[in-house]
Amino acid sequence: SSGINAEYGGGVMRLLESHRDEVQTIAKGGILIGSSKSCKNEMVLVRNNIISMQSHPDLSPKLMMDKIWPAIVEKGAVSEAKRDFYEQEMTNLHTIPCLQLIREFLKH
């Protein structure tokens, strides 16, 4: 879950993360607008025309479960004990609201 800074609407957005890469340092002029437990710089705004997100709003839960999840399981990247937990989590994402937010951002 990504926490959105109150100045930018606040709230929580549940999005998919599937790797360990992260932005360590925010670019000059960048503003931190969201953080998560796994990534301090989860969402960053640069000027008024660039938004950086460490999560993957571009991956729908269906695409993830059909195409990516089987490879993750096959590689043994997720323990047997955690599989059910992650599968349940992936059905409860805010992909559509996040994409709507991005569309609105791109209009301006």
Side-chain angles (χ1 to χ4, degrees):
S1 295
S2 298
I4 310 300
N5 292 347
E7 184 178 346
Y8 296 94
V12 173
M13 190 171 289
R14 295 175 57 82
L15 299 169
L16 179 68
E17 294 178 339
S18 64
H19 53 73
R20 300 278 184 227
D21 296 335
E22 68 178 279
V23 172
Q24 297 277 325
T25 306
I26 297 174
K28 183 178 178 184
I31 300 167
L32 179 66
I33 60 173
S35 296
S36 71
K37 288 179 186 175
S38 61
C39 183
K40 176 183 152 196
N41 301 319
E42 185 76 45
M43 298 172 77
V44 176
L45 180 66
V46 180
R47 297 186 301 273
N48 286 327
N49 62 343
I50 299 171
I51 190 167
S52 168
M53 300 177 78
Q54 293 296 140
S55 54
H56 288 282
D58 53 318
L59 297 177
S60 70
K62 179 170 177 26
L63 177 64
M64 179 65 181
M65 294 307 292
D66 290 352
K67 303 290 183 184
I68 299 169
W69 185 246
I72 291 171
V73 170
E74 186 177 308
K75 288 180 183 178
V78 175
S79 70
E80 190 77 37
K82 294 260 183 174
R83 274 192 211 164
D84 288 341
F85 170 78
Y86 285 121
E87 288 174 3
Q88 181 61 37
E89 288 289 297
M90 282 187 269
T91 65
N92 196 19
L93 299 175
H94 296 139
T95 303
I96 301 300
C98 184
L99 291 174
Q100 290 169 337
L101 178 93
I102 293 168
R103 279 188 204 103
E104 288 301 312
F105 175 80
L106 293 173
K107 287 180 183 178
H108 302 298

